[in-house]
């Protein structure tokens, strides 16, 4: 939608828009980068889940206790409240999940948002101002620098998020019972029931890896439009 509005404004300003450039490697890869950046923050940023225990204690039989968690995964603020108002006869203390994974999650999603915005700007330049891009020496070099930096950041953020996701699965899984003192109290028994499927978060990691490939591979195509490539060609062709 943002891209469509930008292109319409460019058209109204009398700029010649050539959509055929989107079929060239430089434009086509940028479209893919734009799409996969959307998929990253759609699969990670919108996640909501809960983990569930079944508790039996003094005066309580098979009571369901849940803890809801969501992006940005500050699990240390998520609590498993007591199964009854009397806190199992005073033997139950509220349980907080372990870990704060907001830095990795927010870094991953924020990079996707910034990549999304940059792809829109780059596509508008490619399609509406290609002649300016080709005649300028600074624009291709700037594009190259941003592409290299973004490829590196995708690698760092994806690996950091993959590690955080593995820890989130541990913190919301059956291991909750092992680290819960309230479940070890005399007369209290806890069973792990379920945790929301994290398939969409697994998919977000896959999209992150695809972004590494896309941005890393696009470095070459952006480099070909710079003076650096033209100079190297002249040097190689000189006697």
């Amino acid at each position: 939608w943002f891209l469509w509005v930008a292109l319409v404004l460019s058209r109204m300003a009398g700029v010649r828009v050539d959509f055929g450039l989107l079929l060239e490697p430089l434009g086509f890869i940028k479209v893919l980068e734009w799409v996969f950046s959307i998929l990253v923050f759609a699969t990670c940023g919108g996640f909501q889940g809960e983990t569930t225990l079944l508790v039996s204690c003094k005066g309580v039989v098979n009571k369901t206790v849940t803890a809801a968690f969501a992006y940005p995964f500050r699990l240390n603020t998520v609590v498993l409240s007591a199964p009854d108002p009397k806190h199992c006869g005073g033997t139950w203390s509220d349980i907080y999940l372990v870990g704060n994974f907001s830095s990795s999650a927010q870094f991953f999603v924020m990079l996707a948002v910034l990549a999304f915005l940059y792809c829109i700007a780059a596509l508008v330049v490619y399609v509406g101002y290609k002649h300016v891009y080709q005649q300028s020496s600074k624009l291709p070099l700037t594009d190259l620098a941003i592409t290299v930096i973004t490829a590196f950041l995708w690698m760092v953020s994806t690996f950091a998020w993959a590690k955080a996701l593995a820890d989130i699965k541990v913190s919301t899984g059956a291991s909750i019972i092992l680290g819960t003192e309230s479940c070890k109290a005399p007369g209290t028994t806890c069973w792990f029931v379920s945790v929301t499927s994290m398939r969409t978060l697994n998919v977000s990691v896959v999209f992150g890896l695809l972004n590494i490939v896309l941005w890393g591979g696009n470095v070459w195509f952006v480099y070909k439009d710079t003076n650096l490539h033209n100079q190297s060609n002249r040097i190689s062709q000189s006697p």
Side-chain angles (χ1 to χ4, degrees):
W1 184 84
F2 291 104
L3 178 61
W4 180 81
V5 170
L7 292 176
V8 168
L9 292 175
S10 298
R11 187 68 175 178
M12 292 174 61
V15 177
R16 183 177 177 273
V17 178
D18 185 5
F19 288 99
L21 293 171
L22 296 180
L23 300 178
E24 297 180 2
L26 197 62
F28 181 70
I29 294 177
K30 192 63 67 179
V31 171
L32 291 179
E33 291 171 349
W34 178 66
V35 171
F36 280 107
S37 65
I38 296 174
L39 294 175
V40 164
F41 61 73
T43 52
C44 180
F47 182 84
Q48 293 182 337
E50 65 178 22
T51 184
T52 305
L53 301 182
L54 200 63
V55 179
S56 292
C57 60
K58 184 178 179 179
V60 176
V61 178
N62 292 342
K63 178 70 174 183
T64 298
V65 178
T66 61
F69 59 95
Y71 173 86
F73 305 103
R74 295 187 179 94
L75 300 187
N76 57 342
T77 64
V78 177
V79 63
L80 281 162
S81 299
D84 71 323
K86 297 182 179 180
H87 289 252
C88 290
T91 63
W92 184 282
S93 299
D94 287 344
I95 305 166
Y96 287 87
L97 301 186
V98 179
N100 183 351
F101 307 99
S102 59
S103 58
S104 297
Q106 289 176 324
F107 179 28
F108 188 60
V109 172
M110 181 56 66
L111 179 60
V113 173
L114 294 176
F116 165 78
L117 295 175
Y118 178 71
C119 286
I120 291 177
L123 286 171
V124 170
V125 172
Y126 291 165
V127 174
Y129 301 91
K130 184 63 176 179
H131 61 288
V132 177
Y133 182 85
Q134 290 176 332
Q135 294 172 3
S136 172
S137 60
K138 293 182 178 180
L139 284 179
L141 287 175
T142 302
D143 193 15
L144 176 62
I146 294 176
T147 302
V148 171
I149 293 172
T150 305
F152 174 74
L153 292 178
W154 271 121
M155 181 177 65
V156 174
S157 65
T158 300
F159 290 154
W161 169 235
K163 175 61 170 62
L165 178 56
D167 293 338
I168 290 171
K169 292 178 180 179
V170 173
S171 297
T172 58
S175 62
I176 294 175
I177 296 175
L178 299 177
T180 303
E181 295 299 324
S182 297
C183 289
K184 301 175 183 178
T188 300
T189 306
C190 300
W191 296 273
F192 177 76
V193 178
S194 65
V195 64
T196 302
S197 173
M198 299 187 188
R199 285 193 296 266
T200 56
L201 298 181
N202 293 334
V203 172
S204 72
V205 174
V206 174
F207 287 142
L209 294 173
L210 290 174
N211 272 298
I212 296 174
V213 175
L214 283 173
W215 286 85
N218 197 32
V219 169
W220 166 249
F221 295 103
V222 177
Y223 170 73
K224 287 176 64 177
D225 275 357
T226 65
N227 290 335
L228 298 176
H229 180 259
N230 296 332
Q231 290 173 2
S232 63
N233 279 344
R234 287 195 294 268
I235 292 174
S236 63
Q237 293 173 3
S238 64

